[in-house]
């Protein structure tokens, strides 16, 4: 038996052999789709050139390749659809692929079909963030990169993925909040580093499995609100907010995650486009944080700041401004069109282009794209996508991210013996694609909430509304009738991409249309307990349901991924114990009337209430970090922790290092952070209930009120740990508190300081005070 050029089998033996060899042909056919890249052993044109020699240092190989390119060839490689260089055997390459929570076909770099009909679609990031499980985040990244490598080997994907999105969820109306790890910069930073490590791998020698990209840098969290869009928005941000909120996840992504790329955003920051800001790009990302990789624009950002923001007078000036600021790659054609003109006008030199190209080519070399079909991932293929293990991880991620917000009278979990008939009602009760949110690909398969609940009970299904817009009440009667006949009622309500999405910010926080009326009427009609399940990325004001005694339980499922329906059902019927915690504050509707989305200030001032749990002091529907369990946990300190820390100064002769009498604080940059011990906290977590469960130990720090101007922080998260505790057992979690890293605050000038005085640590209901004082 053999394969012809179309991958078809010719019969020379029995039928079993035909089938086996046909399957082998399919695999070989998918692998042959990837065109020969430079340095492939089969490519006799270039394999002997120096940039193809794997035993030569990468930086030498890069310079050798750059030296062989003409100016025009270099310029055509400054854009996402990089052009081929046939004379060197180099094929074209599409840089733009996405992998926010699974390999996606949103960008042109990946496509599904043939041997790769889909990929594992994990819960949307905001849901996974609610697990507060760093090892889970990294494991998801590892699985996604396995599938990405397999698709690359099959010729249907690239190796550069412009994920994750680590912007801060500053405003609850933001349509893209679903893509982020939430409102806390520490959580976002830890998510960034964990997911990036999973994607990029931990191979020795600076090698990459795939190249991740943290986006959108920086202060980007408005898409289209009240006539203001992201292309024209000038984010006015203080140095204080930039340093202690907006830039924190990106610094962590680069410094701790070692990400291979950062994407600059559409918006301006303080009057300058981020993709043309040398201080933000060259000086901060590459200078201070030491990025080992490339900087890419959000798609058409250079065109936007020329044609829409009118930042420069000519397109050549725009091209020069971006490259000189530190941009290495343009998503869009702008640099391919206007860079040569910028060189001819003396606005750029060829060396400026060489520097940008060196950064992108180095990443390709680290990925092994000039090594031929070699490396530890060369054997990954269709069999490594949508595996049972990957599907199980998607289900487990949903289990860990779903948050129980209300459980009156321990109404949950339901019993399959007592609740044999369940009414499943609502516009999101039998959805598929809604569960995977945006920037998703083609899922391996779906289990809807209706399908999941049907595994436990007989179901009576009514949508109640025609879609989440719920513009009429025509279906309410049938929904009420179903609730009257059932032993329990599950209402699956909320949002979808028609309400919140990229380019689509919300105007309010209430359930859309007549959804609230549907919930209330069904709750009145139901003869059994009513469980409200919410799908959404952003928070929803469901005060009505929280206060309604007829609504027994509320579950936030976020966008729970391809297995979301199974996870929801497992939690409702007690096969899984919810352990998720909210990664964002749920505000009441009247909050948004006080806060324009265009105001970037984090801190409260006058009638302005501030943003996120760190600065906002007003009423909430549910607070950051809130989430119930079917069991109960208590905390205690297993050992007596330190009650005092002495901070030594690195240079007593420096005026900047001496204790400032007005603020009673010391600059971290002038502190000898290695001279004093870390303070270990041994937190004993006891499971005092009847269910095994997972619990998140949050450690918050409340700084002393000692006169640092504009501090305004209520408390801030120091760190968190996820722990599994069986019923009746105890687990001890050790958390090391570092004064420089965890007890510092940022002053009005953007400088990090350690306030002297009493710092209060909050661990659940526990409080511990540390006196920090200078060692003179």
């Amino acid at each position: 038996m053999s394969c012809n050029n179309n991958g078809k089998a010719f019969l020379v033996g029995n039928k079993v052999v035909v089938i086996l060899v046909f399957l082998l042909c399919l695999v070989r056919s998918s692998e042959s789709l990837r065109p020969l890249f430079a340095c492939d052993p089969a490519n006799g044109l270039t394999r002997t050139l120096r940039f193809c020699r794997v035993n030569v240092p990468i930086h030498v190989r890069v310079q050798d390749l750059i030296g062989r390119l003409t100016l025009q060839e270099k310029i055509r490689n400054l854009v996402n659809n990089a052009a081929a260089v046939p004379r060197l055997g180099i094929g074209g390459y599409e840089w733009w692929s996405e992998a926010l929570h699974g390999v996606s076909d949103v960008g042109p770099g990946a496509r599904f079909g043939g041997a790769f009909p889909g990929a594992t679609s994990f819960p949307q990031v905001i849901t996974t963030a609610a697990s507060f499980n760093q090892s889970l985040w990294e494991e998801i990244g590892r699985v996604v990169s396995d599938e990405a490598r397999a698709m690359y080997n099959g010729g249907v994907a690239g190796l550069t993925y412009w994920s994750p999105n680590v912007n801060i969820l500053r405003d609850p109306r933001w349509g893209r909040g679903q893509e982020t790890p939430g409102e806390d910069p520490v959580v976002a930073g830890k998510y960034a580093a964990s997911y990036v490590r999973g994607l990029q791998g931990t191979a020795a020698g600076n090698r990459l499995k795939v190249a991740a990209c943290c986006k959108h840098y920086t202060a980007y969290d408005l898409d289209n609100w009240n006539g203001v869009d992201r292309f024209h928005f000038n984010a006015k941000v203080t140095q204080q907010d930039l340093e202690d909120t907006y830039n924190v996840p990106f610094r962590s992504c680069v410094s701790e995650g070692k990400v291979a790329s950062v994407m600059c955003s559409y918006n301006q920051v303080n009057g300058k486009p981020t993709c043309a800001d040398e201080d933000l790009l060259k000086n901060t990302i590459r200078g201070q944080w030491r990025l080992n990789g490339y900087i890419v624009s959000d798609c058409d950002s250079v065109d936007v700041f020329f044609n829409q923001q009118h930042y420069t007078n000519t397109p050549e000036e725009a091209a020069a401004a971006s490259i000189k600021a530190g941009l290495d790659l343009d998503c869009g054609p702008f640099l391919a069109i206007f860079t040569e003109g910028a060189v001819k006008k003396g606005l750029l030199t060829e060396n400026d282009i060489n520097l940008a190209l060196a950064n992108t080519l180095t990443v390709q070399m680290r990925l092994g794209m000039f090594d031929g079909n070699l490396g530890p991932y060369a054997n990954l293929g269709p069999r490594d996508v949508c595996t049972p293990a990957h599907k199980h991880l998607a289900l487990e991620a949903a289990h860990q991210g779903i948050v129980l917000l209300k459980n009156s009278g321990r109404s949950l979990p339901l019993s399959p013996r007592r609740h044999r008939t369940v009414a499943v009602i609502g516009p999101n009760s039998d959805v598929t694609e809604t569960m995977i949110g945006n920037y998703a690909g083609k899922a391996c398969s779906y289990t809807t909430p209706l399908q999941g609940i049907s595994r436990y009970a007989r179901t009576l299904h009514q949508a109640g509304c025609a879609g989440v817009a719920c513009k009429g009440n025509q279906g309410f009667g049938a929904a009420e009738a179903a609730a009257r006949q059932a032993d329990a009622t599950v209402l699956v309500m909320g949002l979808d991409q028609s309400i919140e999405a990229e380019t689509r910010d919300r105007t309010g926080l209430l359930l859309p249309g007549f959804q609230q009326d549907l919930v209330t009427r069904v709750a009145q009609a139901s003869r059994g307990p009513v469980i409200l399940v919410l799908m959404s990325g952003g928070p929803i004001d469901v005060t009505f349901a929280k206060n309604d005694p007829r609504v027994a339980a509320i579950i936030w499922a976020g966008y729970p991924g391809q297995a979301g329906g199974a996870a929801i059902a497992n939690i409702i019927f007690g096969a899984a114990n919810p352990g998720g915690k909210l990664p964002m504050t749920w505000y009441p509707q009247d909050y948004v009337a006080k806060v324009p989305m265009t105001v970037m200030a984090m801190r409260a001032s006058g009638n302005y209430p501030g943003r996120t749990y760190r600065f906002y002091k007003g009423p909430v529907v549910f607070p950051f970090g809130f989430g119930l369990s079917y069991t109960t946990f208590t905390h205690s300190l297993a050992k007596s922790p330190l009650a005092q820390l002495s901070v030594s100064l690195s240079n007593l002769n420096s005026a900047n290092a001496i204790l400032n009498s007005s603020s009673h604080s010391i600059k971290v940059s002038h502190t000898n952070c290695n001279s004093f011990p870390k303070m270990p906290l041994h937190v004993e977590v006891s499971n005092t209930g009847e269910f095994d469960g997972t619990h998140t130990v949050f450690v918050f720090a409340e700084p002393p009120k000692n006169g640092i101007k504009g501090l305004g922080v209520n408390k801030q998260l120091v760190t968190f740990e996820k722990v599994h505790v069986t019923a009746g057992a105890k687990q001890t979690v050790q958390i090391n508190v570092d004064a420089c890293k965890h007890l510092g605050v940022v002053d009005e000038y953007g400088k990090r300081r350690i306030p002297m005085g009493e710092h209060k640590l909050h661990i659940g209901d526990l409080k511990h005070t540390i006196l920090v004082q200078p060692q003179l």
Side-chain angles (χ1 to χ4, degrees):
M1 172 164 292
S2 62
C3 297
N4 69 4
N5 290 335
N6 294 317
K8 297 178 181 177
F10 297 106
L11 180 62
V12 295
N14 61 41
K15 292 182 179 179
V16 174
V17 173
V18 172
I19 294 171
L20 289 174
V21 177
F22 180 67
L23 291 174
L24 287 173
C25 290
L26 281 179
V27 173
R28 289 173 181 169
S29 175
S30 70
E31 290 176 349
S32 68
L33 290 173
R34 182 171 64 83
L36 290 180
F37 205 71
C39 312
D40 196 294
N43 190 340
L45 184 63
T46 59
R47 65 187 181 189
T48 60
L49 298 177
R50 197 176 191 195
F51 68 81
C52 291
R53 298 176 189 170
V54 295
N55 60 334
V56 173
I58 284 179
H59 72 277
V60 176
R61 298 171 69 189
V62 167
Q63 291 305 316
D64 178 75
L65 176 53
I66 290 174
R68 298 175 187 273
L69 299 175
T70 67
L71 176 61
Q72 290 73 25
E73 289 168 341
K74 293 173 183 177
I75 289 171
R76 282 295 291 117
N77 276 272
L78 294 176
V79 291
N80 64 289
N81 57 336
V85 185
R87 65 185 184 83
L88 294 179
I90 299 174
Y93 178 69
E94 177 54 67
W95 285 83
W96 180 9
S97 293
E98 302 280 355
L100 185 67
H101 51 108
V103 178
S104 167
D105 56 354
V106 169
R111 62 188 184 276
F112 294 106
F116 299 94
T120 309
S121 192
F122 291 93
Q124 181 60 287
V125 175
I126 194 71
T127 312
T128 306
S131 72
F132 287 90
N133 187 341
Q134 297 176 65
S135 60
L136 174 67
W137 300 338
E138 184 167 342
E139 181 63 11
I140 290 173
R142 187 195 65 76
V143 167
V144 171
S145 59
D146 273 356
E147 298 193 352
R149 267 284 176 173
M151 291 178 67
Y152 170 75
N153 291 341
V156 294
L159 290 178
T160 47
Y161 289 85
W162 294 348
S163 304
N165 179 343
V166 297
N167 291 118
I168 297 298
L169 179 48
R170 169 187 63 98
D171 192 289
R173 293 162 290 192
W174 187 30
R176 301 188 73 177
Q178 60 184 293
E179 302 173 30
T180 77
E183 72 180 35
D184 183 81
V186 170
V187 176
K190 288 183 180 293
Y191 178 87
S194 299
Y195 189 60
V196 165
R197 279 193 293 266
L199 284 177
Q200 296 190 165
T202 55
N206 202 27
R207 290 290 181 151
L208 295 167
K209 187 179 181 185
V210 304
C213 173
C214 282
K215 63 185 185 183
H216 314 80
Y217 179 80
T218 182
Y220 168 67
D221 47 18
L222 177 150
D223 267 62
N224 193 344
W225 176 83
N226 201 28
V228 180
D229 66 39
R230 57 185 177 172
F231 305 123
H232 299 89
F233 181 51
N234 176 23
K236 297 178 181 178
V237 186
T238 66
Q239 285 302 309
Q240 187 176 40
D241 286 342
L242 202 61
E243 175 64 26
D244 83 344
T245 298
Y246 296 113
N247 282 0
V248 171
F250 293 97
R251 180 171 60 238
S252 177
C253 193
V254 174
S255 301
E256 298 175 31
K258 309 300 181 185
V259 75
S261 177
V262 174
M263 177 184 287
C264 51
S265 54
Y266 290 116
N267 57 288
Q268 296 185 351
V269 172
N270 299 326
K272 183 175 285 190
T274 63
C275 293
D277 192 325
E278 184 174 359
D279 185 57
L280 287 177
L281 304 188
K282 186 178 291 184
N283 296 345
T284 302
I285 297 177
R286 199 171 296 284
Q288 294 178 29
W289 302 342
R290 313 301 299 171
L291 172 70
N292 180 15
Y294 69 97
I295 299 173
V296 61
S297 74
D298 204 342
C299 293
D300 294 316
S301 285
V302 183
D303 182 274
V304 164
F305 79 66
F306 171 67
N307 280 310
Q308 298 193 46
Q309 297 175 6
H310 308 296
Y311 182 69
T312 62
N313 292 323
T314 68
E316 292 79 12
E317 289 173 342
S322 62
I323 293 174
K324 282 185 171 292
L327 188 71
D328 302 307
L329 186 72
D330 177 22
C331 178
F334 196 91
L335 290 188
I337 298 170
F338 296 109
T339 299
E340 186 172 3
V343 173
K344 290 178 178 178
K345 292 183 177 181
L347 302 172
L348 277 177
T349 66
E350 188 165 353
N351 189 58
D352 293 324
I353 297 169
N354 291 346
L355 292 174
L357 203 57
N359 291 325
T360 55
L361 289 175
T362 296
V363 167
Q364 289 184 318
M365 294 278 187
R366 292 169 63 197
L367 287 164
M369 292 174 65
F370 287 82
D371 298 347
N373 192 29
L374 302 174
Y377 314 112
N379 292 324
L380 292 173
R383 66 188 178 278
D384 301 295
V385 180
C386 290
T387 68
H390 294 181
K391 293 177 182 179
H392 179 75
L393 185 64
L395 174 62
E396 181 57 27
H399 284 156
Q400 293 193 30
I402 291 173
V403 183
L404 179 63
L405 297 173
K406 177 183 177 180
N407 193 17
S408 298
R410 301 182 71 177
S411 300
L412 291 180
L414 299 182
S415 166
R417 292 190 305 275
R418 290 185 289 110
H419 304 99
R420 297 184 178 185
T421 301
V422 176
V424 183
I425 296 168
N428 280 336
S429 58
D430 197 28
V431 293
T432 53
E433 291 185 5
T434 295
M435 296 193 300
I436 60 178
N438 70 350
Y439 277 82
K442 302 291 187 296
C444 309
S445 59
Y446 292 104
T447 302
T448 72
L450 177 63
Q451 292 169 337
I453 294 168
S454 296
R455 297 172 180 175
Y456 289 93
R458 185 173 74 90
T459 55
L460 304 173
H461 179 237
Q462 291 291 331
C465 296
V468 295
C470 201
K471 294 180 179 180
N473 61 5
Q474 295 87 348
F476 286 18
E480 291 171 289
R484 290 189 189 100
Q485 300 173 50
D487 300 318
T489 298
V490 177
L491 284 148
V492 191
M493 314 297 286
L495 315 177
D496 64 13
Q497 301 305 303
S498 70
I499 305 295
E500 56 175 356
E502 185 171 10
T503 74
R504 185 176 293 120
D505 298 325
R506 287 190 286 165
T507 56
L509 303 181
L510 299 177
L511 284 169
F514 288 92
Q515 282 197 42
Q516 180 170 324
D517 292 342
L518 176 61
V519 173
T520 300
R521 284 177 53 173
V522 168
Q524 289 173 337
S526 180
R527 69 181 174 93
V530 175
I531 297 93
L532 173 61
V533 178
L534 299 168
M535 285 192 195
S536 72
I540 303 171
D541 182 353
V542 287
T543 302
F544 80 97
K546 179 183 176 183
N547 295 336
D548 188 341
R550 292 161 300 193
V551 177
I554 304 174
I555 291 171
W556 177 67
Y559 293 123
Q562 65 179 42
I568 290 168
N570 290 346
I571 284 174
I572 287 174
F573 283 92
N577 187 356
K581 306 288 184 182
L582 291 178
M584 72 297 210
T585 302
W586 283 37
Y587 303 91
Q589 167 67 13
D590 63 3
Y591 172 81
V592 297
K594 306 171 186 175
V595 183
M597 276 194 76
T598 50
V599 176
M600 301 296 293
M602 298 299 299
R603 289 157 172 80
S605 176
N607 294 325
Y608 181 72
R611 297 182 180 276
T612 78
Y613 80 91
R614 296 163 64 216
F615 306 105
Y616 172 67
K617 293 183 174 69
V620 300
V621 181
F622 296 107
F624 172 89
F626 181 78
L628 303 173
S629 171
Y630 293 153
T631 191
T632 51
F633 297 96
T634 61
H635 303 95
S636 62
L637 292 176
K639 298 180 182 179
S640 297
L642 291 174
Q644 182 172 314
L645 284 174
S646 296
V647 180
S648 64
L649 305 178
S650 59
N651 182 0
L652 284 174
N653 295 321
S654 170
N656 290 326
I658 299 174
L659 187 64
N660 185 301
S661 59
S662 62
S663 68
H664 302 286
S665 64
I666 299 174
K667 281 186 179 181
V668 170
S669 60
H670 295 96
T671 301
N672 189 354
C673 290
N674 297 320
S675 67
F676 53 91
K678 307 294 185 289
M679 189 191 79
L681 288 176
H682 298 88
V683 182
E684 188 174 79
V685 181
S686 300
N687 183 338
T688 57
E690 301 173 354
F691 291 80
D692 298 348
T694 57
H695 180 64
T696 301
V697 178
F698 292 110
V699 180
F700 294 95
E702 179 185 347
K705 307 296 189 287
N706 64 356
I708 296 180
K709 188 175 179 181
L711 186 57
V713 64
N714 303 321
K715 62 179 182 179
Q716 56 191 14
L717 188 64
V718 167
T719 190
F720 55 91
E721 292 291 338
K722 192 82 168 184
V723 59
H724 181 81
V725 190
T726 57
K730 300 178 180 179
Q731 292 284 351
T732 299
V733 177
Q734 179 175 328
I735 296 170
N736 295 316
V737 177
D738 181 323
C740 285
K741 186 176 181 180
H742 297 141
L743 302 183
V745 297
V746 176
D747 67 19
E748 62 179 323
Y749 304 106
K751 304 300 181 184
R752 190 163 291 274
R753 292 179 172 274
I754 303 174
M756 299 298 103
E758 292 187 343
H759 293 250
K760 296 176 182 177
L761 298 182
H762 301 255
I763 309 108
D765 295 331
L766 294 177
K767 289 186 180 180
H768 176 69
T769 300
I770 307 172
L771 176 63
V772 179
Q773 59 186 13
Q775 179 179 321
L776 300 174

